[in-house]
Amino acid sequence: MSTDNFEKGGWDWQFSQFQQQVGEWLEYQSYRFERVLPDWSPAWKFAPWLGGVLNFLSWLLLGLFVAVVVWRLWSALNPYLYTWFNIGGSGRNRGKIFTPDVSIANLLERSQSLYRQGNYREACRCLYLAILQHLHDTKIITHKPSRTDNEYLQLLRSAVTPIQPYETVITTHEQLCFGNAEILPENYEQCRQAYQEIVQK
């Protein structure tokens, strides 16, 4: 069999080459270290199993270092990657919250329709989504799917005044998503009034 049949460019081959080079380097360093030591009895020499243990520990430390670096990069880039892959990566839709047919006008119309049907929970939710889209469109706060209501409030406190209309809608949204409180027509009217205050600025 000729040597042309062996793959010399794959990850396995490159990893084995790297592993061999590290092993040779460690062996060379061990040889240099042993030459510097005084001529002690053979009992003081490194046992072969100790070299294996040191080799294993060095690979373990390298693996942990790489894992920490990858984890830190993932933590830093996760929101951007999540947005990129969820939206599909196309320039036209990148950074949009909704599909093109769900605009602020559609959300407001749907909110009114749900209100007339007596579905105040979903009506308030549509107002909440309209406000998020408004924030994104006006570039006050760009949307990130992983962002929580609390994170929106923290960002809004440093970006806009007055904050009260935003707090009204966001706390109502928290109640309807995470609480058992009944959403009444008065809650919807408060959210609608808050929305009007927000867009009139």
Side-chain angles (χ1 to χ4, degrees):
M1 181 185 289
S2 70
T3 58
D4 296 337
N5 294 337
F6 292 109
E7 185 179 345
K8 293 185 178 178
W11 286 103
D12 292 339
W13 183 82
Q14 290 179 0
F15 181 72
S16 68
Q17 288 296 308
F18 177 70
Q19 194 173 17
Q20 181 180 350
Q21 289 173 354
V22 169
E24 289 173 356
W25 181 81
L26 287 172
E27 187 177 334
Y28 174 70
Q29 295 303 323
S30 172
Y31 170 74
R32 286 182 53 204
F33 181 68
E34 285 181 8
R35 284 188 52 195
V36 173
L37 291 175
D39 194 16
W40 291 337
S41 69
W44 284 93
K45 296 237 181 212
F46 286 126
W49 64 268
L50 184 60
V53 169
L54 290 174
N55 190 15
F56 171 76
L57 289 175
S58 64
W59 281 110
L60 183 65
L61 288 173
L62 179 65
L64 286 172
F65 174 75
V66 169
V68 167
V69 168
V70 168
W71 179 73
R72 294 296 300 247
L73 283 173
W74 175 255
S75 297
L77 299 176
N78 184 29
Y80 305 106
L81 295 174
Y82 183 80
T83 302
W84 177 266
F85 288 119
N86 267 359
I87 304 302
S90 66
R92 188 169 60 86
N93 291 333
R94 189 179 306 135
K96 295 255 186 195
I97 298 175
F98 312 107
T99 56
D101 57 45
V102 183
S103 64
I104 292 177
N106 288 347
L107 286 166
L108 294 175
E109 185 179 314
R110 185 162 183 240
S111 174
Q112 285 291 321
S113 172
L114 289 165
Y115 173 73
R116 285 191 294 274
Q117 295 169 16
N119 189 348
Y120 308 119
R121 293 179 74 84
E122 285 301 309
C124 288
R125 186 174 177 276
C126 286
L127 284 174
Y128 168 81
L129 293 174
I131 286 175
L132 292 187
Q133 187 64 49
H134 171 75
L135 289 170
H136 181 79
D137 290 348
T138 55
K139 301 196 182 340
I140 295 172
I141 297 176
T142 55
H143 178 69
K144 289 185 183 172
S146 62
R147 201 170 269 157
T148 65
D149 288 342
N150 253 351
E151 289 171 326
Y152 274 111
L153 279 175
Q154 288 173 358
L155 291 169
L156 284 165
R157 284 189 182 106
S158 62
V160 296
T161 52
I163 189 69
Q164 185 57 45
Y166 294 101
E167 285 179 340
T168 300
V169 176
I170 290 174
T171 53
T172 302
H173 179 258
E174 281 182 330
Q175 288 172 2
L176 68 91
C177 284
F178 305 110
N180 294 328
E182 184 182 351
I183 303 298
L184 303 170
E186 296 81 30
N187 299 115
Y188 173 79
E189 287 300 329
Q190 289 173 348
C191 289
R192 191 180 60 75
Q193 184 179 353
Y195 177 81
Q196 293 298 328
E197 290 177 31
I198 288 167
V199 296
Q200 285 173 0
K201 285 191 246 176

